[in-house]
Amino acid sequence: MLVNATNMLLKARDGHYAVGQFNINNLEWTKSILLTAQELNSPVILGVSEGAGKYMTGFKTVAAMVKAMDESLGITVPVALHLDHGTYEGAKACVAAGFTSIMFDGSHYDIEENVAKTTELVALAHDHGLSIEAEVGSIGGEEDGVIGMGEVADPAQCAMISSLGIDFLAAGIGNIHGKYPANWKGLDFDALDKIHAATNNIPLVLHGGTGIPDDMIKKAISLGVSKINVNTECQLSFADATRKYIEAGKDVQGKGYDPRKLLAPGAEAIKATVREKIALFGSANKA
Ligand code: 13P
């Protein structure tokens, strides 16, 4: 069931668990994530970066595929189709394409411009029934060409952006996209605490979910994080399972080269990762 992400995240906030945003890249990714959310009776958010949107030939294709697949698979759990790290233009395009949720990442603008553009997009998103996420303090690392320095967000700026009517807020607390370096200092819980106190209990979003230790994930949820984004970890699981299949020579045995066979171990590996995350985030049976 395609919905916006507002209610599922308010429920998560009040129930002290988090909903996973799993980024999609193609049909296999989408199918694995939808089937696993349904199996575990969990709400889920499908994240689409602008790069992944382009790869799938555009946001319209993505929206049409997700809507049709949601119906064909008989998915009854709440599913939000969400733009990840959207530009101003990308956010508008996703509203027109039929997404149910957008993120506008204005963290690289100065705060006045971030406020102005976020305000405009809040009105547009809400007019069309979409939920909207905004960002303060960039997430470290690189995702699909979006590079962030990994700043810790200023609570006063978080308060300013969260008062614009957005539905959930991404605030940098030392989190990084991609793999964490060995010398990573961990999440800044003191900053998270201050941001939570300054933002009127708005659901908070933790980006860079890959590789954060379980105890830090649980602590972040206890301090107001209601949405956790995972992208790289599904890519690593998929690549690992596919490599093993090919290294075992299975693609040259019988019809092992059939894409439905070749991609099956990777698709199963994505399911296993999503299952693990849903259990850790506590969203199973919360649909
Ligand atoms: P990872 O790639 O580190 O899991 O981060 C995902 C993310 O934050 C998407 O916005």
Side-chain angles (χ1 to χ4, degrees):
M1 186 185 31
L2 270 189
V3 294
N4 70 33
T6 306
N7 279 339
M8 65 169 86
L9 293 182
L10 290 175
K11 261 178 82 181
R13 177 197 68 190
D14 295 344
H16 307 289
Y17 59 91
V19 176
Q21 172 190 304
F22 300 98
N23 284 46
I24 60 171
N25 292 286
N26 59 17
L27 182 143
E28 279 73 19
W29 245 258
T30 312
K31 187 172 160 189
S32 292
I33 296 163
L34 287 178
L35 286 173
T36 309
Q38 182 70 23
E39 170 195 311
L40 299 179
N41 195 27
S42 168
V44 76
I45 299 170
L46 302 178
V48 181
S49 69
E50 297 216 353
K54 239 183 231 161
Y55 174 77
M56 290 183 269
T57 75
F59 296 131
K60 275 191 183 169
T61 311
V62 178
M65 173 183 75
V66 168
K67 272 185 196 156
M69 199 185 288
D70 186 71
E71 249 178 66
S72 312
L73 292 174
I75 303 295
T76 55
V77 297
V79 176
L81 175 59
H82 180 71
L83 171 65
D84 190 28
H85 292 285
T87 58
Y88 175 77
E89 295 75 20
K92 286 186 164 180
C94 284
V95 172
F99 276 49
T100 64
S101 187
I102 51 171
M103 174 187 190
F104 169 59
D105 180 356
S107 62
H108 51 287
Y109 292 119
D110 58 37
I111 188 71
E112 288 77 21
E113 193 159 0
N114 193 357
V115 166
K117 289 195 157 72
T118 301
T119 304
E120 191 188 322
L121 290 170
V122 165
L124 179 73
H126 288 172
D127 272 356
H128 290 79
L130 281 76
S131 46
I132 175 165
E133 171 180 349
E135 177 168 330
V136 180
S138 70
I139 313 300
E142 187 264 346
E143 184 179 66
D144 257 343
V146 180
I147 297 167
M149 300 307 288
E151 299 148 17
V152 171
D154 169 28
Q157 291 193 354
C158 291
M160 206 185 290
I161 294 283
S162 70
S163 71
L164 303 176
I166 61 164
D167 301 292
F168 30 105
L169 175 74
I173 53 165
N175 37 335
I176 298 173
H177 287 131
K179 291 182 182 173
Y180 284 83
N183 63 352
W184 180 53
K185 291 193 193 75
L187 296 176
D188 186 338
F189 290 114
D190 189 42
L192 178 57
D193 220 9
K194 289 192 178 115
I195 291 163
H196 186 217
T199 52
N200 201 22
N201 212 17
I202 194 167
L204 296 172
V205 182
L206 182 64
H207 283 248
T210 297
I212 298 178
D214 291 5
D215 58 328
M216 284 193 202
I217 292 280
K218 287 191 175 148
K219 189 160 180 193
I221 293 173
S222 77
L223 292 172
V225 165
S226 312
K227 171 176 180 277
I228 302 177
N229 293 5
V230 177
N231 184 9
T232 305
E233 204 154 329
C234 289
Q235 299 185 6
L236 291 169
S237 318
F238 178 88
D240 190 48
T242 307
R243 183 181 353 93
K244 284 184 178 137
Y245 181 88
I246 290 177
E247 280 178 355
K250 293 190 179 162
D251 58 319
V252 288
Q253 287 165 22
K255 281 200 169 181
Y257 53 82
D258 174 342
R260 279 171 269 168
K261 293 199 171 104
L262 180 65
L263 299 179
E268 285 306 313
I270 293 172
K271 285 186 189 167
T273 298
V274 173
R275 236 175 248 130
E276 216 176 85
K277 296 297 167 191
I278 286 178
L280 174 63
F281 302 164
S283 70
N285 292 318
K286 307 285 188 191

